[in-house]
Amino acid sequence: MRKWYWWLGGIVSGLLVLGGMIFTISLCDPAAELTCAVKAPVIPTDVDEATGKRVVAFCSACHAMPPASSFSRDAWHHEVMQGYHFYAKSGRTDLDPPTPSEAIAYFRYRTTDELVFSTSTDSTAWFRRAFTAEHLLIQTSDPVPPAISNIKWIPRPGERTGTMFATDMRRGTVHQISLDRGQLTQMNLGQFGHPCHVEPVDLNNDGTLDFVLADLGSFDPDDHDRGRVLWHGLFPGPKRKPVVLAAELGRIADVRPADLNGDGRTDLVVAEFGWHKTGGIHVLRNTGNVDGTPQFHSDRVYSRPGTIHVPVVDIDGDGDLDIVALVSQEHERVELIVNKGDNTWQVHTLWAAPDPAFGLSGMELVDLDLDGDIDILVTNGDTFDSMSLKPSHGIQWLRNDGGLRFTYQRLADLSGAYRALAADFDNDGDLDIAACVWVPRLSTSVGVDVHSLGALVIYEQTGAMKFERHTLQEGAPCFATMEIADFDRDGDQDIALGWFLSSRNQSDNWISVWWNEQPTQPEARP
């Protein structure tokens, strides 16, 4: 999913690309105007102590103070001006901002000319498994590139096969994909606005599996009320037009079904990503069916914009289901929305990133260390804030220590990391990690060759939480979503990736499946 944000002292947040435009604004003048910026000086100079304190107070008023090391020296001019631009639009008047030139000087003085990226190399040992890639090609002649935002594997009830579903948020379509080896095919299930996420569910308890959809309401970012939650028939095929379960919302990024209050009805948790003025998390409480259509009462349980994922799990072990939320934008944190019973909720922050430009992009709830509790696997690699890669991008593990305490551990550096999922790919009894990379518009960074980035990487667990890297695909980092399952039912875990392209010139691929095979060479590790 797409994410832009500001983080230098404004109160708004959201999805915005300035398209290379740079602005300045004099906030000391009540009649402040946006004017074309003058290039920052080449030689950095510091500000005095009092001004430095004003910069810190202003830039940390709503979120963590941005570390100067987040960007290179020359990049700070654009980042500061973007922040002031958003601050001006917010209408906030209770802060004492320094001048833009003072803020620029503060950050430029405290960083370096170039960011230093770590060198991640593949393991010299042969991986126990080999993978064969198969691609579903785009069959239309129109120039519209695919924007696959979510893929979901759904086993067919009573069968040894399953079906994959993919949402294309640019074309507004949902596709049913057959994963017959050697002949991948797809069927368009129809138009659904701008679908971002799909989840299987028997919502009306009629014994037939349906699906619910998160509809962004627009492809491009905006504050609007066109976001929706939709319900549609699934097996044995499309059986009705989509039913609108919730509407007049901001951009909806995720929806998860669960019985949250134990009444036997399926409720829905909805992530409203929003933009500047919209956003939050909603609980749609199922109040029963009317003529076969479930009815819902909506409660807003979280009010910040930027929520990407809202998986549901009993993480505190009290017998009811809670909500774990990945919140991006300048907030950059993992929130637990604790189910207190009686339809009441309490927000508890499990972990917050130290940098408002951290770029959180994906999350999976999984017992990564197999100790019997739920851990959290998190990626950060979003580049829409600055259109540049950062050394801080990678894969993180939040280890569950009990009592709602989690310990942060960095697992791997991976520029542009967008999704990481855990699975035992080599059938050795522990969990490995597959990670995919998405770098929209092939944004560039000093010190990084985007075309040689690892686009699909497996981190093999070779010891107690020790991982070795194996790159399956290098270059074309166009994967915003990934799914893992035993698609061909041969006893090992396969990988599916959705292509999110900015141009049809980048690729003719639409969905790629990496089939897990027996190794073609003997492993080097004893």
Side-chain angles (χ1 to χ4, degrees):
M1 95 147 267
R2 299 169 59 130
K3 179 168 77 71
W4 294 253
Y5 61 88
W6 68 278
W7 39 258
L8 265 176
I11 59 170
V12 294
S13 60
L15 302 167
L16 178 65
V17 169
L18 292 182
M21 299 179 65
I22 302 177
F23 301 91
T24 61
I25 183 167
S26 172
L27 296 179
C28 300
D29 182 357
E33 296 181 354
L34 294 176
T35 59
C36 292
V38 178
K39 289 185 177 180
V42 175
I43 302 174
T45 57
D46 199 6
V47 297
D48 59 57
E49 182 179 357
T51 300
K53 290 181 178 179
R54 290 177 65 204
V55 172
V56 172
F58 177 61
C59 296
S60 61
C62 302
H63 46 67
M65 176 64 182
S69 59
S70 294
F71 298 96
S72 63
R73 185 163 284 135
D74 288 343
W76 269 114
H77 186 264
H78 174 268
E79 297 304 319
V80 168
M81 299 323 304
Q82 181 171 255
Y84 273 83
H85 175 68
F86 286 124
Y87 174 72
K89 291 182 64 176
S90 75
R92 187 168 181 173
T93 60
D94 61 320
L95 300 178
D96 179 27
T99 65
S101 61
E102 290 171 333
I104 292 169
Y106 177 91
F107 287 105
R108 280 174 50 84
Y109 186 79
R110 288 163 174 78
T111 189
T112 56
D113 288 335
E114 295 183 3
L115 300 181
V116 179
F117 289 80
S118 64
T119 302
S120 298
T121 57
D122 277 13
S123 171
T124 57
W126 186 257
F127 189 33
R128 294 179 174 88
R129 310 299 294 183
F131 287 81
T132 301
E134 184 178 358
H135 308 289
L136 176 62
L137 302 181
I138 303 171
Q139 300 298 328
T140 62
S141 59
D142 67 68
V144 179
I148 306 303
S149 53
N150 181 234
I151 50 179
K152 180 72 64 174
W153 168 258
I154 304 175
R156 284 185 176 273
E159 300 182 24
R160 289 182 55 82
T161 61
T163 305
M164 181 174 289
F165 294 84
T167 60
D168 188 330
M169 58 182 276
R170 181 182 284 116
R171 294 171 180 267
T173 52
V174 176
H175 300 260
Q176 180 175 324
I177 302 164
S178 171
L179 296 185
D180 294 330
R181 292 197 60 164
Q183 191 177 5
L184 304 182
T185 58
Q186 67 86 24
M187 178 177 66
N188 188 344
L189 298 181
Q191 293 287 135
F192 298 87
H194 294 274
C196 186
H197 190 92
V198 58
E199 284 287 333
V201 60
D202 180 9
L203 199 57
N204 57 354
N205 296 322
D206 66 352
T208 302
L209 194 62
D210 310 308
F211 63 77
V212 287
L213 280 168
D215 176 14
L216 290 164
S218 66
F219 181 77
D220 292 321
D222 195 5
D223 273 320
H224 56 61
D225 61 356
R226 300 192 298 276
R228 302 179 299 170
V229 178
L230 304 176
W231 175 44
H232 195 272
L234 183 59
F235 297 128
K239 62 182 180 181
R240 65 172 79 90
K241 293 182 178 180
V243 176
V244 178
L245 300 179
E248 299 183 353
L249 299 169
R251 289 163 58 84
I252 302 300
D254 194 8
V255 56
R256 304 291 178 108
D259 183 2
L260 298 171
N261 53 11
D263 64 356
R265 302 187 185 117
T266 301
D267 311 301
L268 299 173
V269 179
V270 177
E272 181 185 358
F273 189 97
W275 193 28
H276 291 328
K277 301 175 182 179
T278 53
I281 299 174
H282 306 264
V283 170
L284 303 186
R285 183 158 37 90
N286 193 329
T287 59
N289 292 337
V290 174
D291 296 328
T293 300
Q295 307 296 305
F296 294 91
H297 173 81
S298 178
D299 294 312
R300 181 188 292 267
V301 299
Y302 191 77
S303 58
R304 284 174 170 164
T307 301
I308 302 174
H309 302 305
V310 283
V312 179
V313 68
D314 180 13
I315 204 165
D316 56 5
D318 65 352
D320 54 28
L321 296 175
D322 311 299
I323 305 165
V324 182
L326 184 70
V327 183
S328 59
Q329 308 299 3
E330 76 277 9
H331 307 299
E332 300 296 320
R333 61 187 60 211
V334 177
E335 304 275 40
L336 174 63
I337 317 297
V338 180
N339 190 344
K340 305 297 290 185
D342 299 324
N343 301 312
T344 60
W345 303 83
Q346 183 180 63
V347 178
H348 179 81
T349 299
L350 297 182
W351 174 80
D355 183 355
F358 197 65
L360 287 174
S361 53
M363 176 177 69
E364 183 192 17
L365 305 184
V366 59
D367 183 7
L368 190 60
D369 54 1
L370 302 179
D371 66 349
D373 54 26
I374 297 297
D375 307 308
I376 304 174
L377 192 61
V378 173
T379 53
N380 68 307
D382 186 272
T383 61
F384 272 114
D385 58 331
S386 60
M387 297 307 293
S388 62
L389 299 168
K390 298 177 184 177
S392 60
H393 288 173
I395 304 170
Q396 350 288 322
W397 174 41
L398 303 182
R399 187 188 69 215
N400 192 337
D401 296 326
L404 299 185
R405 295 186 302 272
F406 287 76
T407 298
Y408 170 88
Q409 181 175 332
R410 176 82 164 188
L411 295 182
D413 299 331
L414 184 63
S415 295
Y418 227 80
R419 199 81 169 96
L421 299 175
D424 185 4
F425 291 107
D426 50 8
N427 293 333
D428 66 349
D430 57 25
L431 294 181
D432 313 300
I433 297 171
C436 63
V437 170
W438 181 36
V439 185
R441 301 183 184 178
L442 294 183
S443 56
T444 58
S445 295
V446 175
V448 177
D449 180 2
V450 175
H451 297 280
S452 66
L453 284 177
L456 174 59
V457 179
I458 286 183
Y459 295 91
E460 175 194 8
Q461 187 168 177
T462 59
M465 301 308 296
K466 295 180 180 179
F467 296 88
E468 296 188 7
R469 172 175 170 148
H470 305 274
T471 301
L472 299 188
Q473 177 176 317
E474 186 176 79
C478 301
F479 306 125
T481 184
M482 176 173 57
E483 179 73 303
I484 294 175
D486 185 4
F487 303 136
D488 53 5
R489 294 297 196 270
D490 66 349
D492 48 34
Q493 300 295 302
D494 309 302
I495 304 171
L497 298 166
W499 290 74
F500 199 119
L501 305 176
S502 57
S503 169
R504 280 288 293 272
N505 293 329
Q506 290 178 259
S507 176
D508 286 329
N509 294 335
W510 194 73
I511 298 289
S512 291
V513 178
W514 290 76
W515 301 106
N516 192 339
E517 313 277 12
Q518 292 293 331
T520 57
Q521 297 182 29
E523 62 186 63
R525 186 184 302 107

